[in-house]
């Protein structure tokens, strides 16, 4: 057994990292110490190197008693308990499949149920259209059921399609929500027919249309290459181009019913002639968006004991599902974000598929398929803010654009700029808005504030707590960005398949940037168990953190996407803690299975790694594990299936910033014969 007795003691603890979905700076410092093999790349100007530990057949067991994370407790979401069995139909209030707009009829029916105590509202099966700039609103309903009976609701306006607000013991089931693609497509698949030799323009063929219906077409966001195998975005070397800011659009000209000329521009970011030559490849297929991200399909706020069941969101102009406020004890069962069967649409939601903002937790998702959206599949957003001490009991917050994130009476914990606790948690006594447009707000407390030792304070609103979250038996696939972002406490993610998530399967992180504000309040007691993680991070992003399938990290202070992280962008406080990653299958990915940074007590055990395909990105760390700026990381009982596409796996570790790394019983197995189990 090779001896690494110094690995368990005497190391420094620090952290790192960066924000979504930007490239990550280097997370390991230069190592000048014996033990292990130096197997690093020149990842920055300082030629960062690290120790590689070949753990197969080796052991560095810990005598510590393992603290095993348990994830979420089990809990029950109560169904409606109606006092009567009265049912009413939206048809009674004028709703008809043939009507150009059914908004008023639906809202009248809902208002009738609320005022009279009707326990169930039904919709005769059909396709109903909604064009009025107004949401279908369910507010303050108790012991109530809404049954769409298989109907589809097609909308085309800028408000949320449906709002469920302040309801208690309610059930919403059996309907689909869709955008009006016939008249106003959200996105298209285009083929590059021609690129002018000097890069003046590119000609794009809309492959699914003989005549594109929106003649005043807008190209928004980016032209992203489609993976030829999956026809979804995300593969290494695919290329593409960005179209500048949210309100800046490139010049276009129709050459025929479905052929559009896109002109280069020296005044729009990323639209120069050189980008056209390199970013738009003749004959390539790309996805392009036609709208800004806006309001989405189903918005939920401050509900208790809410169930969504048997719902499909086929497409929407924002997030498919969004939850906020004092919402708790709610569940989403057999509910999907998918494109309609038989269609070739390139996307579903124009933003994240499923967002949980600042809530009170106790959320359950089971049997759901989430796919093909323009951002993350599932995101626990968490809370947090940053601000400076502006007086003995006053904090002046920065980048606080949403006034609903903090309220008078909310208990706020204040931490230093490296996340170190100050011991201060007090309720807000008063809020002053200094500059709403700039997001500058003052919080006044009754007690004196601690000393601000760094560049800013970090504020955690402890009224909100995205805790006790269960995700089971789901399928997250073929989306732009990540599969699941887990920023909260007591989370269980199990028996779920991840496939072709552009920027990785799972991110567990927290951070802030001085210019952008905060993103999350840390994460703890997270269990990731019995999942299949297949073709994660096909773009090969976060190369400075070795292109991880699962990424655990933090970022602070001055991170930017243009430069590697600096020492001052790292913290010594483990804001991520108690993480269990066990019994998962990792299949065909370009980098490490897990990158661990800014974390304490991380257990990676009994996982299986299978590589069956070559990668255009051939990295020596493929299939390994990375650890830095962390304490107490355990790698035990993992199995790698022998493959020509993987070097001997092990752990790439920065000894300077890691305190306590242990491994044992990790093995390489021969691949089974074809046809044998």
């Amino acid at each position: 057994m090779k001896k690494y007795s110094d690995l368990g003691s005497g190391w420094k603890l620090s952290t790192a990292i960066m924000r979504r979905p930007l490239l990550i700076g280097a997370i390991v410092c230069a190592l000048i110490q014996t033990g292990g093999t130096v197997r690093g790349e020149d990842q920055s100007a300082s030629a960062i190197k690290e120790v590689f530990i070949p753990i197969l057949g080796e052991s560095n067991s810990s005598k510590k008693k393992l603290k095993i994370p348990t994830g979420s407790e089990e809990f029950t979401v109560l169904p409606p308990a109606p006092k009567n069995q009265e049912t009413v139909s939206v048809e009674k209030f004028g709703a008809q499949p043939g009507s150009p707009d059914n908004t008023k009829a639906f809202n009248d029916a809902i208002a009738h149920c609320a005022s009279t105590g009707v326990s169930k509202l039904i919709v005769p099966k059909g396709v109903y259209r909604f064009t009025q700039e107004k949401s279908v609103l369910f507010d303050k309903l108790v012991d109530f059921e809404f049954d769409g009976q298989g109907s589809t609701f097609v909308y085309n306006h800028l408000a949320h399609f449906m709002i469920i607000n302040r309801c208690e013991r309610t059930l919403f089931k059996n309907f689909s929500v869709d955008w009006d693609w016939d008249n106003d497509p959200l996105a298209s698949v285009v083929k590059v027919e021609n690129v002018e030799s000097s890069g003046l323009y590119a000609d794009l063929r809309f492959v699914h249309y003989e005549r594109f219906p929106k003649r005043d077409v807008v190209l928004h966001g980016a032209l992203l290459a489609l993976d030829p195998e999956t026809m979804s975005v995300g593969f290494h070397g695919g290329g593409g181009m960005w179209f500048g800011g949210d309100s800046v659009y490139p010049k276009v000209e129709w050459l025929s019913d479905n052929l559009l000329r896109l002109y280069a521009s020296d005044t729009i970011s990323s639209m120069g002639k050189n980008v056209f030559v390199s970013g738009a490849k003749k004959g390539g297929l790309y996805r392009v968006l036609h709208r800004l991200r806006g309001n989405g399909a189903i918005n939920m706020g401050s509900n208790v004991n809410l169930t969504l069941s048997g719902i499909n969101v086929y497409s929407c102009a924002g997030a498919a599902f969004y939850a906020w406020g004092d919402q708790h004890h709610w569940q989403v069962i057999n509910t999907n974000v998918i494109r309609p069967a038989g269609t070739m649409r390139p996307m579903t939601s124009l933003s994240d598929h499923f967002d949980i903002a600042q809530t009170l937790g106790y959320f359950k998702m089971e049997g759901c398929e989430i796919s093909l959206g323009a951002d993350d599949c599932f995101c626990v957003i968490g809370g947090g803010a940053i601000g400076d001490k502006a007086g003995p009991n006053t904090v002046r917050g920065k980048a606080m654009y949403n006034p609903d994130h903090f309220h008078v009476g909310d208990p706020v914990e204040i931490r230093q700029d490296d996340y170190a606790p100050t011991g201060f948690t007090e309720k807000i006594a008063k809020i002053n808005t200094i500059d709403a447009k700039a997001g500058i707000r003052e919080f006044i407390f009754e007690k004196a504030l601690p000393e601000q030792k760094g560049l800013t304070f970090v504020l955690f609103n402890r009224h909100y707590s995205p805790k006790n979250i269960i995700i089971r038996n789901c399928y997250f696939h073929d989306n732009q960005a990540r599969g699941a972002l887990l920023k909260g406490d007591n989370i269980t993610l199990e028996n779920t398949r991840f496939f072709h998530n552009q920027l990785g399967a799972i991110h567990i992180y927290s951070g802030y940037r001085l210019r952008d504000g905060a993103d999350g309040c840390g994460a703890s007691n997270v269990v990731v168990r019995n999942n299949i993680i297949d073709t994660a991070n096909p773009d090969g992003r976060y190369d400075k953190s070795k292109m991880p399938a699962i990424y655990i990290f933090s970022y602070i202070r001055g991170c930017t996407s243009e430069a590697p992280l600096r020492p001052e962008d790292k913290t010594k406080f483990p804001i991520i803690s108690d993480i269990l990653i066990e019994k998962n299958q990792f299949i065909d990915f370009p980098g490490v299975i897990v990158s661990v940074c800014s974390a304490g007590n991380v257990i990676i055990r009994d996982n299986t790694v299978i590589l069956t395909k070559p990668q255009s990105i051939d990295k020596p760390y493929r299939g390994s594990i990375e650890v830095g700026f962390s304490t107490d990381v355990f790698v035990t009982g993992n199995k790698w299936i022998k493959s020509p596409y993987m070097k001997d796996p092990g752990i790439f570790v920065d000894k300077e910033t890691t305190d306590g790394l242990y491994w044992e019983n990790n093995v390489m197995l021969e691949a089974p014969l074809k046809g044998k189990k």
Side-chain angles (χ1 to χ4, degrees), residues 5-23:
S5 58
D6 61 326
L7 293 178
S9 63
W11 293 15
K12 301 174 187 177
L13 177 63
S14 186
T15 61
I17 303 300
M18 249 193 71
R19 192 173 181 175
R20 65 182 229 167
L22 307 175
L23 293 178

Side-chain angles (χ1 to χ4, degrees), residues 194-222:
N194 178 50
V195 180
E196 197 272 332
S197 59
S198 66
L200 286 174
Y201 58 79
D203 295 336
L204 312 177
R205 180 80 65 184
F206 288 74
V207 300
H208 295 145
Y209 295 91
E210 293 184 3
R211 177 179 174 82
F212 190 75
K214 194 89 170 178
R215 305 315 290 173
D216 55 343
V217 64
V218 170
L219 305 187
H220 170 71

Side-chain angles (χ1 to χ4, degrees), residues 31 80 99 130 151 164 172 316 318 380 594 669:
L31 174 64
S99 173
F130 301 81
S151 294
I164 306 171
F172 294 78
C316 58
V380 182
V594 186
L669 301 178

